Amino acid sequence: MLGTSVAREVTEGTRLAQEVQQPVTTGRVIAVTSIRGGVGKSTVTALLSRIFNHYRRDPVLALEADAALGTLPVRLGAESVRWSCSDLAQILTPSMQLTDVIGYLVPVTDGGWLLPASQGRVGAPLDVRTYRTVTMALRRYFAVTVVDCETLPGEVARTAMDTAHARVVAAPMTAEGVNGTRVVLDWLAQLPHAALDSTVVALTANSPDTTLDVRAASAYLRETGAAVVSVPYDRHLGGGGPILNTMLGRDTREAATTLAAEVMRRAVRVR
């Protein structure tokens, strides 16, 4: 029985890795948002970025699209920030090569790149035009761009969710979080294209003890057509510092890989 269990685990791990590694013909943009701050949106973005960087061999970018001093640079271990989204939007040209572009980005430990929304201070809100300019241009260079959006109903967040190849809604494992996320999913259902088919809910636990019936909550959210992946509480994530794959609990790594596989499968289906 033990051998059979291990074999199944290896088979499932291989399947998930293959999903994450799917080749793309054009860069895929994955937008991550939430109904309010402090529910793990930047943590989910950083987790996805780490998993994609671990499994993929093509360039991966983590893009922060929230100028309100978000935590993405901290979560990815950025020691310094020089250029922001708005700065890069003013200098991007079609003739630039990847080697030119990465000179304005922050290299991430263990692979990948980061483009922050600000230079370590509260700045002007990122506008939709700047967001579109940067994401459309950088898709040429990066196979996967994971965007840490502002919270809904911000204009950039709504634009990002509408135009992304796949969407992730970070939701806390609370009754309020689940009910609020259901409202977001119902809104996505009204978009002119099949947005829910490419949406995954990351149900995150911010405490080791939760009274929420996770199975019932997941079933309630899946009624909309979106996928749901539960991300368990992890002391390493709860510390608030840089996220390191080697420090994550086994269940957390499996959940993050499952989330990345679900998202990539949906992103690749969109032309």
Side-chain angles (χ1 to χ4, degrees):
M1 291 293 291
L2 179 59
T4 302
S5 176
V6 171
R8 281 199 298 264
E9 186 176 314
V10 171
T11 299
E12 177 63 7
T14 301
R15 183 189 69 81
L16 292 175
Q18 290 173 341
E19 293 280 4
V20 176
Q21 295 167 344
Q22 287 189 77
V24 296
T25 53
T26 58
R28 304 286 95 175
V29 177
I30 298 164
V32 183
T33 190
S34 61
I35 56 172
R36 59 180 174 83
V39 302
K41 173 175 61 66
S42 295
T43 298
V44 168
T45 303
L47 274 174
L48 284 171
S49 175
R50 289 295 195 194
I51 294 298
F52 285 129
N53 278 310
H54 177 73
Y55 284 104
R56 300 189 66 89
R57 294 296 175 262
D58 39 19
V60 175
L61 173 69
L63 191 156
E64 187 182 40
D66 186 350
L69 284 181
T71 60
L72 187 61
V74 174
R75 289 311 231 172
L76 290 176
E79 296 182 0
S80 63
V81 173
R82 290 189 306 144
W83 295 80
S84 69
C85 240
S86 298
D87 296 329
L88 193 56
Q90 299 176 35
I91 61 173
L92 282 169
T93 64
S95 63
M96 294 177 75
Q97 302 296 316
L98 175 61
T99 51
D100 300 319
V101 173
I102 61 176
Y104 300 97
L105 307 178
V106 179
V108 176
T109 305
D110 298 331
W113 304 92
L114 164 69
L115 177 60
S118 65
Q119 296 176 325
R121 59 181 182 272
V122 177
L126 188 69
D127 59 77
V128 171
R129 181 177 180 180
T130 298
Y131 173 79
R132 285 181 174 273
T133 297
V134 171
T135 52
M136 288 298 293
L138 294 183
R139 279 176 53 190
R140 294 174 48 215
Y141 309 102
F142 296 93
V144 180
T145 299
V146 188
V147 183
D148 185 8
C149 301
E150 62 184 350
T151 56
L152 290 166
E155 187 177 12
V156 172
R158 287 187 284 114
T159 299
M161 294 294 278
D162 186 29
T163 58
H165 297 97
R167 305 146 182 84
V168 178
V169 182
M173 286 187 188
T174 63
E176 176 193 10
V178 170
N179 290 330
T181 299
R182 178 60 186 259
V183 173
V184 172
L185 297 179
D186 289 340
W187 167 71
L188 286 171
Q190 299 173 18
L191 294 179
H193 47 276
L196 283 175
D197 289 345
S198 55
T199 298
V200 183
V201 176
L203 203 53
T204 59
N206 296 324
S207 166
D209 301 310
T210 177
T211 58
L212 183 73
D213 185 333
V214 178
R215 285 189 177 183
S218 298
Y220 175 61
L221 295 173
R222 288 191 181 105
E223 289 176 356
T224 63
V228 180
V229 175
S230 297
V231 181
Y233 173 77
D234 191 296
R235 291 180 60 186
H236 178 54
L237 296 180
I243 295 175
L244 303 174
N245 287 352
T246 55
M247 296 297 292
L248 294 172
R250 177 181 174 181
D251 290 346
T252 307
R253 286 198 303 271
E254 290 180 353
T257 306
T258 300
L259 177 62
E262 290 282 355
V263 171
M264 200 64 200
R265 182 160 57 247
R266 286 158 175 75
V268 169
R269 287 193 307 219
V270 179
R271 294 188 181 277

